[in-house]
Amino acid sequence: MSVTNGKELAKEIKENVKKKVYENYISKNRDVPCLVCIIVGDDKASKVYVNSKKKACEECGIKSLVYQLPADTTKEFLLDFLNKLNADKTVSGILVQLPLPEKLDKDRDEIINTILPSKDVDCLTHENLGRLFAGVGTIAPCTATGIIKILEHEKFDIDGKDAVVIGRSLLVGKSVSSLLQSKNATVTNCHSHTKNLKEKCQNADILIVAVGKPKMIKKDFVKDGAFVIDVGINRTENGLVGDVDFESVKDKCSYITPVPGGVGPLTVACLMENTLLLHEKAKENTKCVNLE
Ligand code: NDP
């Protein structure tokens, strides 16, 4: 059994982004990519995630702006703020850290879809998701991209494999299901209404768990030699744990990602890649306009 070191792989990806930012922007005195993260309210986990994103930006030479807005921020204020960022040519990517406070959460779709698709760095607008599901997207949500990178890094042949994805959020489950399908896996996307979950998992060559329930996947869910990817991040009194019972599963599978240190660092590294990609696209479009 091999434990995938997400930190090492994330480091490689960030090094590559840093090199491109240096060669194409810093050394040529051109504007560097700029990522804006917005947190509304006081969610502690959100602050930790945004800090790690800010740190990664610093490592890669990407400019990072973090706006911490109060929990009683109104929808109107937030939409106006997002529209200003949309219009700001120095901003390459915009990310609204989820979850939003309860009062704003009912308007989450409207808020996320106010971000211009060309600046929607986590690929959560309906336009970008539609493009992803149609197989013509430029970017995908960072966690889903990170999961595919893990499989590819381990040179695991996805083509023709049976994959079970547990969880159907846009951010993770649905997006990674779509990416796996585009790479010719046969995907079963499970959720809280799925019947016979254990039996379905037992047939999976690739098992991806994105639920948010500590250690719910035990050894008897896992096919011998499967590739197990644990997306879950659960804060317990014993620290961070995943959705997979690592100790019970590790000797049954071929590959497993740990929590922490598996998918999490890849999510942040892929956010750096997406920011650079959107910046490059914006510059290309500006060039086209100038040529006309
Ligand atoms: P959501 O809460 O949006 O989705 C959870 C999914 O799990 C839903 O589709 C839900 O089904 C399904 N589910 C809940 N209970 C069960 C069950 N008993 N059996 C089968 N399916 C079930 O969560 P996210 O997708 O945003 O995140 C999932 C986990 O991944 C969380 O722990 C989160 O912290 C973590 N995460 C980690 C990231 C990383 O970088 N490592 C990034 C993003 C998330 P239904 O749709 O029917 O309600």
Side-chain angles (χ1 to χ4, degrees), residues 14-138:
K14 285 187 287 184
E15 284 294 332
N16 194 30
V17 172
K18 181 182 172 180
K19 190 165 169 274
K20 286 188 182 156
V21 169
Y22 184 79
E23 284 173 358
N24 297 334
Y25 300 101
I26 297 177
S27 73
K28 292 182 177 158
N29 255 332
R30 295 168 72 200
D31 288 345
V32 297
C34 169
L35 174 66
V36 174
C37 294
I38 300 168
I39 316 182
V40 189
D42 293 315
D43 187 70
K44 278 202 186 105
S46 290
K47 285 185 184 169
V48 173
Y49 295 142
V50 168
N51 270 336
S52 66
K53 290 167 185 174
K54 187 167 180 252
K55 194 167 153 264
C57 283
E58 283 160 13
E59 287 172 45
C60 295
I62 291 175
K63 184 176 167 190
S64 123
L65 296 172
V66 176
Y67 292 99
Q68 166 83 60
L69 304 180
D72 60 0
T73 299
T74 61
K75 178 184 91 173
E76 290 67 28
F77 180 90
L78 189 50
L79 297 188
D80 185 50
F81 192 55
L82 287 171
N83 278 321
K84 288 195 172 103
L85 294 170
N86 284 340
D88 184 341
K89 288 202 167 50
T90 66
V91 172
S92 328
I94 305 169
L95 184 150
V96 175
Q97 186 66 43
L98 299 175
L100 288 165
E102 219 179 302
K103 258 188 166 171
L104 279 179
D105 199 51
K106 62 176 184 346
D107 299 312
R108 185 172 51 177
D109 267 5
E110 188 181 350
I111 292 166
I112 296 296
N113 283 288
T114 297
I115 301 172
L116 270 182
S118 57
K119 297 194 178 193
D120 167 29
V121 73
D122 209 7
C123 188
L124 281 180
T125 55
H126 291 167
E127 182 173 328
N128 283 344
L129 283 168
R131 296 182 73 79
L132 171 74
F133 297 147
V136 294
T138 310

Side-chain angles (χ1 to χ4, degrees), residues 49 143 166-169 171-173 190-194 197 209-213 216 230-234 243 263-264 267:
Y49 295 142
T143 305
I166 318 180
R168 57 176 164 178
S169 68
L171 191 66
V172 192
C190 302
H191 44 76
S192 66
H193 296 250
T194 296
L197 180 68
V209 195
V211 174
K213 292 208 182 325
M216 74 174 269
D230 188 357
V231 185
I233 301 178
N234 305 289
D243 290 347
V263 176
T267 298

